[in-house]
């Protein structure tokens, strides 16, 4: 079953918490991964792979650079999930 | 039909000794920063590398190999003349013929062993080890020498900010010989030629000779694609090698992945869920990425510092340009 926007944000929050140690409540739609959440370009690769597994989506390397904020990633997953 | 006698080898093979050579010149990040717009902090946080060794003109592929192999032979307790095969893995020896292995074999005083070079990038050590094990068990060599050696500084574009800080030079070697118990597990290896463009030499020698690229060819890579592949696909291969050897993560003492980037190492450790007690090689910090040399160099250092000890069970995995990979479980010498 496709995940809702809230489920995706909650899931991303858990992933970011696991990878970068950021408190889950800090992970909000408007937050930038690199500027606000201490997720650098390599951690972002880890976040993406974890999100792919969790939400059953494929996020090619070329699309990763467009996912600047939690909102961008959430929208991408909503639109591409199987 | 005439009957052919089968070859007769040892029941099992083991690594009997290890040796390494690190060039004298230590190069800190400050030197890298003279040519690229970056910072010590960025390089450390993205790669974990603080220093690497660069070879001088005298520290040739041959000279470094002879030093490392000499130590490995001494460590193994055999004499050089007993060695029946010399396998040299390198991508940075700039003369294709003859193989550098024959010169190295001669300088070591080995007699007349089979000697040849292989090219398997950062998986070169595992490829060589697998060949050596096969020879010992097959009987085509009682003892085989495997050398991983690189002068990657010769293939580095010091103005390329995505690679200038990554590579280093050095040589590592092991002697493989007969064993009464299994001490080198099944190798899980392979290639993914559809990804051959992700790590490569920028231009061919032929193109360079014809004056097409002005810059000397250098190593280049799609950093994030390689990172993703290394962290997730290679963790699966590492797990397969453990399974093939019938070893659980709990039984493992040491993890020696190819020393490409500390971030890859840390991430693999997490993905593999390695328990706290497993010693992890983190030689990349002061050695950089030395491709085929990285695993034996890291192995030697762990044994020298006492972080690992003889008889420990170690998982080794190499991966790199090709793309190619090789993983196996070994008992440390
Ligand atoms: C090389 C590697 C460290 C680069 O890291 P990366 O995060 O992929 O770097 P990117 O090129 O995507 O750049 C990310 C950001 O850092 C910047 N940057 C790149 N190189 C930089 C440098 N040397 N110093 C400072 N900043 C740099 C970029 O400009 C970019 O900034 P922006 O987001 O503001 O545009 C990394 O990709 C890596 O190690 N991959 C694995 C490679 C490997 O080990 N290969 C061998 C396997 S055998």
């Amino acid at each position: 079953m496709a995940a809702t926007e809230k489920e995706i944000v909650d899931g991303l929050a858990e992933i970011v918490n696991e990878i970068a140690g950021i408190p889950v409540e800090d992970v909000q739609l408007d937050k930038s991964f690199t500027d606000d959440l201490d997720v650098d370009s390599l951690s972002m690769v880890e976040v993406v792979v974890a999100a792919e597994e969790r939400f059953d989506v494929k996020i090619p390397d070329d699309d990763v650079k467009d996912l600047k904020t939690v909102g961008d990633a959430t929208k991408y997953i909503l639109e591409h999930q199987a | 039909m005439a009957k052919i006698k089968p070859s007769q080898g040892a029941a099992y093979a083991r690594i009997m000794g290890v040796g390494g050579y690190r060039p004298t010149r230590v190069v800190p990040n400050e030197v890298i920063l003279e040519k690229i717009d970056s910072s010590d902090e960025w390089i450390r946080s993205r790669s974990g590398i603080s220093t690497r060794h660069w070879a001088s003109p005298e520290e040739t592929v041959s000279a470094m190999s002879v030093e490392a192999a000499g130590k490995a032979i001494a460590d193994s307790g055999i004499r050089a003349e007993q060695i029946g095969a010399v396998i040299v893995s390198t991508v940075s020896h700039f003369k294709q013929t003859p193989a550098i292995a024959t010169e190295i074999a001669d300088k070591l005083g080995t007699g007349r062993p089979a000697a040849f070079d292989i090219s398997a990038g950062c998986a070169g050590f595992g490829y060589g080890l697998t060949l050596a094990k096969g020879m010992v068990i097959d009987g085509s060599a009682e003892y085989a020498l495997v050398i991983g050696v690189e002068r990657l500084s010769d293939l580095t574009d010091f103005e390329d900010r995505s690679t200038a800080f990554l590579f280093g030079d050095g040589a590592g070697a092991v002697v493989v010989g007969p064993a009464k118990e299994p001490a080198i597990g099944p190798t899980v290896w392979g290639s993914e030629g559809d990804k051959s463009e992700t790590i490569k030499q920028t231009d061919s020698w032929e193109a360079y000779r014809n004056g097409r690229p002005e810059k000397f060819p250098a190593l280049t890579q799609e950093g994030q694609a390689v990172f993703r592949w290394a962290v997730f696909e290679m963790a699966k291969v590492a797990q397969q090698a453990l399974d093939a050897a019938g070893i659980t993560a709990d039984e493992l003492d040491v993890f020696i992945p190819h020393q490409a980037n500390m971030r890859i190492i840390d991430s693999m450790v997490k993905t593999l869920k390695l328990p706290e007690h497993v010693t992890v090689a983190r030689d990349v910090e002061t050695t950089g990425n030395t491709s085929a040399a990285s695993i034996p160099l890291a192995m030697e250092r762990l044994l020298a510092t006492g972080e690992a000890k003889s008889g420990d069970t170690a998982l080794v995995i190499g991966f790199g340009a090709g793309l190619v990979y090789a993983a196996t479980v070994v008992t440390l010498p």
Side-chain angles (χ1 to χ4, degrees):
Chain A
M1 224 190 48
T4 62
E5 182 185 275
K6 174 158 188 338
E7 283 164 349
I8 294 171
V9 177
D10 289 350
L12 287 172
E14 276 175 34
I15 290 168
V16 170
N17 173 265
E18 162 86 4
I19 288 162
I22 300 294
V24 285
E25 57 275 18
D26 290 3
V27 182
Q28 307 281 347
L29 283 174
D30 61 336
K31 291 284 164 60
S32 151
F33 287 105
T34 40
D35 300 338
D36 303 321
L37 300 176
D38 208 22
V39 174
D40 72 13
S41 48
L42 295 181
S43 297
M44 191 60 195
V45 175
E46 297 181 69
V47 169
V48 162
V49 175
E52 282 188 340
E53 276 180 15
R54 185 155 180 156
F55 301 113
D56 199 16
V57 279
K58 275 264 150 285
I59 313 179
D61 288 321
D62 285 345
D63 291 348
V64 173
K65 59 181 181 317
D66 300 328
L67 309 181
K68 301 252 184 278
T69 64
V70 176
D72 296 339
T74 304
K75 184 157 172 282
Y76 189 97
I77 293 165
L78 269 176
E79 285 167 5
H80 292 84
Q81 62 187 344
Chain B
M1 208 168 58
K3 205 164 180 185
I4 297 176
K5 253 207 250 169
S7 54
Q8 190 84 60
Y12 306 106
R14 68 183 170 108
I15 299 177
M16 303 175 65
V18 59
Y21 180 79
R22 295 161 204 269
T24 339
R25 182 175 175 207
V26 175
V27 179
N29 288 340
E30 287 68 50
V31 171
I32 307 291
L33 297 173
E34 290 166 10
K35 298 249 172 71
I36 57 166
D37 175 20
S38 186
S39 67
D40 179 47
E41 198 272 325
W42 193 93
I43 295 173
R44 283 174 197 261
S45 74
R46 297 302 161 108
S47 70
I49 300 169
S50 57
T51 58
R52 73 287 288 144
H53 297 255
W54 282 351
S56 69
E58 292 73 40
E59 289 167 317
T60 60
V61 164
S62 169
M64 294 195 293
S65 298
V66 170
E67 286 291 327
K71 288 188 207 162
I73 294 167
D75 189 42
S76 72
I78 65 161
R79 283 170 294 110
E81 312 91 79
Q82 294 175 275
I83 287 170
V86 176
I87 304 166
V88 176
S89 182
T90 183
V91 298
S92 47
H93 173 57
F94 289 169
K95 191 169 173 185
Q96 244 157 341
T97 302
I100 192 65
T102 59
E103 179 185 315
I104 294 167
D106 181 54
K107 289 202 169 131
L108 287 166
T110 53
R112 297 171 62 186
F116 56 96
D117 300 352
I118 60 171
S119 172
C122 307
F125 177 73
Y127 273 58
L129 182 67
T130 304
L131 293 177
K133 171 191 160 191
M135 290 171 175
V136 169
I137 291 173
D138 164 74
S140 44
E142 189 178 4
Y143 301 98
L145 180 63
V146 180
I147 301 170
V149 55
E150 303 291 359
R151 281 178 57 113
L152 294 185
S153 60
D154 290 339
L155 275 176
T156 301
D157 177 353
F158 299 114
E159 287 164 2
D160 177 351
R161 67 205 288 255
S162 66
T163 54
F165 56 92
L166 285 176
F167 302 116
D169 304 336
V174 297
V175 172
V176 179
K180 294 201 179 70
E181 303 280 330
I184 303 175
T187 301
V188 177
W189 60 349
S191 66
E192 295 180 39
D194 59 323
K195 301 191 182 72
S196 61
E197 295 289 306
T198 49
I199 312 176
K200 61 175 186 183
Q201 180 175 321
T202 42
D203 294 286
S204 69
W205 299 121
E206 190 191 22
Y208 183 64
R209 181 187 60 186
N210 295 338
R212 269 187 278 138
E214 276 170 25
K215 262 191 168 171
F216 193 74
L219 294 171
T220 179
Q221 59 184 3
E222 295 164 24
Q224 289 190 11
V226 175
F227 182 82
R228 187 169 176 156
W229 176 76
V231 166
F232 297 96
E233 299 308 318
M234 291 306 100
K236 290 179 203 157
V237 170
Q239 186 60 51
Q240 286 164 15
L242 280 178
D243 296 345
I247 296 290
T248 64
D250 277 333
E251 291 171 294
L252 199 64
D253 302 305
V254 186
F255 178 46
I256 313 179
H258 165 50
Q259 303 288 300
N261 181 322
M262 196 73 83
R263 296 284 294 271
I264 294 178
I265 297 170
D266 289 338
S267 202
M268 279 180 106
V269 168
K270 247 201 281 175
T271 311
L272 281 166
K273 301 193 169 66
L274 292 184
E276 281 288 318
H277 75 260
V278 175
T279 299
V280 178
R282 291 200 160 82
D283 195 36
V284 67
E285 184 187 354
T286 53
T287 308
N289 178 347
T290 57
S291 193
S294 82
I295 292 174
L297 275 174
M299 186 184 290
E300 192 218 26
R301 179 154 284 174
L302 288 177
L303 288 165
T305 58
E307 289 166 270
K309 56 185 193 313
S310 176
D312 276 356
T313 302
L315 169 62
V316 300
I317 177 167
F319 45 84
L323 297 171
V324 290
Y325 56 85
T328 186
V329 175
V330 301
T331 306
L332 292 182

